[in-house]
Amino acid sequence: MVDALGVAVVGFGWMGRVHTQAYARLPHHYPRLPLRPRLVAVAEEVPGRAEEAAERFGFVSATRDWREVAADPRVQAVSVTAPNFLHREIGVAMAEAGKHLWIEKPVGLTSSDARAVADAADRAGVQGTVGFNYRNAPAVESARELIASGGIGTVTHVRIRLFSDYAAHPDSALTWRYERERGGSGVLGDLASHGADLARFLLGDICALTADTAIFVPERARPSGATAGHALASGGEPGPVENEDYVGCLLRFASGARGVLEACRVSVGEQNAYGFEVHGTRGAVFWDFRRMNELRVSRGTTYQDQPVSTVYVGPDAGEFAAFQPGAANAMGYDDLKVIEAHRFVRSIAEGRPYGTTLTDAVHSASVLDAMVESARSGRWVGL
Ligand SMILES: NC(=O)c1ccc[n+]([C@@H]2O[C@H](COP(=O)([O-])OP(=O)(O)OC[C@H]3O[C@@H](n4cnc5c(N)ncnc54)[C@H](O)[C@@H]3O)[C@@H](O)[C@H]2O)c1
């Protein structure tokens, strides 16, 4: 028996679309899931955008006011895919209205925002899933298992890199992302939040760090109309970029391992160059998002000149089997969101967390807060 789960999406930009498509694809990939999402409502402040989403994707109703979604008894679960400054207000209100939350990272502007949403969800007894999608990649789950099983020996150090060019164009529009009030931090919330989550997912807790940040494109053009994603605004009135384009960070883990986390949004020639290199006393494992279904692995007992092999992950890895029948049939970015949607809906069906949680968001946001503090003070900061 499959029951309907009334879902709503708040904020219909890039992530709003991706969440919506993930809900729609759930029955295709997870036919035994006992709950089937029904697209009940979409809320979006740009005039006409919610109606267009309803028409295209089949939401029953469309509104410009997310409060109508909070008050709608047909809605049991909500995707919060609006800009960062709204995560806290919308997340807390939805939880208090008894809606389960699938909320995008970084969950607010600071760790106190993430904690407020986590506390509200706890009080209301609703499930909370967070958009740390890179840990859903089957190859990343395999890497984690390899590391945890001692397959590369004792972990010594990790390098996590998230480089992109999405803000490299000097004409890219001065959207909410570049403002302190609406975006909070810059590349910290955008990319380093994923890096902090991956670091903890793979290696456990970070206990101290020191960070340096920089703004490399200090002005951008103000857009003349509504934007979504990373729009250009050639010729617009210039305005100041208020948050960092770059962060470089040294990490110490509770395990004694060391790490480097570097993230940049203005790296010309780098497109979604996200990945990690984890080194241990007897081996290493490497992952690059652009070759999402592959791991490079070095293991054995030769230490020097030890070969590295490419492993194409297959149905044994994570949730790969829900998408493809055999290794080297590539999965893509949107599939990671289908996995996330599955874990969200499964956690609602089973009444217990499954996959990422709001606690993960609090941990990631605390690491970002420590980076901000370290960049300000020039000192190591403990966590
Ligand atoms: N997990 C990931 O890989 C990933 C990738 C990109 C973005 N994100 C996160 O997703 C969130 C959205 O990012 P995006 O790239 O989709 O941004 P976007 O700018 O494309 O979309 C945001 C949408 O929210 C709408 N909005 C703004 N105020 C609103 C309000 N009061 N009510 C309803 N809608 C409102 C905007 O008009 C816009 O359509 C951010 O928190 C971002 O950090 C996550």
Side-chain angles (χ1 to χ4, degrees), residues 3-8 23 35-38 40-41 69-70 72-79 94-95 97-102 126-127 344 348:
D3 289 327
L5 176 76
V7 300
Y23 287 127
L35 289 175
R36 180 170 292 203
R38 176 168 177 261
V40 167
V69 171
D72 189 335
R74 297 169 305 169
V75 174
Q76 293 154 284
V78 177
S79 278
M94 293 300 175
K99 320 291 187 200
H100 301 285
L101 283 177
W102 179 11
V126 296
Q127 300 298 326
F344 176 49
I348 297 169

Side-chain angles (χ1 to χ4, degrees), residues 310-374:
T310 298
V311 176
Y312 299 102
V313 298
D316 291 346
E319 299 196 19
F320 188 96
F323 296 83
Q324 298 293 352
N329 290 301
M331 289 170 59
Y333 175 85
D334 283 11
D335 296 334
L336 301 183
K337 285 303 202 194
V338 177
I339 293 173
E340 207 164 87
H342 169 233
R343 291 174 176 177
F344 176 49
V345 173
R346 183 168 169 186
S347 67
I348 297 169
E350 295 183 8
R352 64 180 179 88
Y354 191 72
T356 56
T357 63
L358 286 160
T359 304
D360 297 318
V362 173
H363 277 285
S364 171
S366 302
V367 170
L368 303 187
D369 283 1
M371 289 181 188
V372 170
E373 169 56 16
S374 173

Side-chain angles (χ1 to χ4, degrees), residues 10-16 43-46 49 64 66 81-84 86-87 104-106 131 133-134 176-177 190 194 227-229 333 337:
V10 177
F12 207 84
W14 178 29
M15 280 305 108
E44 163 60 54
E45 77 160 4
V46 173
R49 202 176 267 179
R64 284 183 69 192
W66 59 264
T81 48
N84 302 350
L86 292 166
H87 292 175
E104 267 307 330
K105 41 60 60 178
N133 30 260
Y134 298 110
W176 60 268
R177 279 199 161 77
D190 246 7
H194 283 296
T227 63
Y333 175 85
K337 285 303 202 194

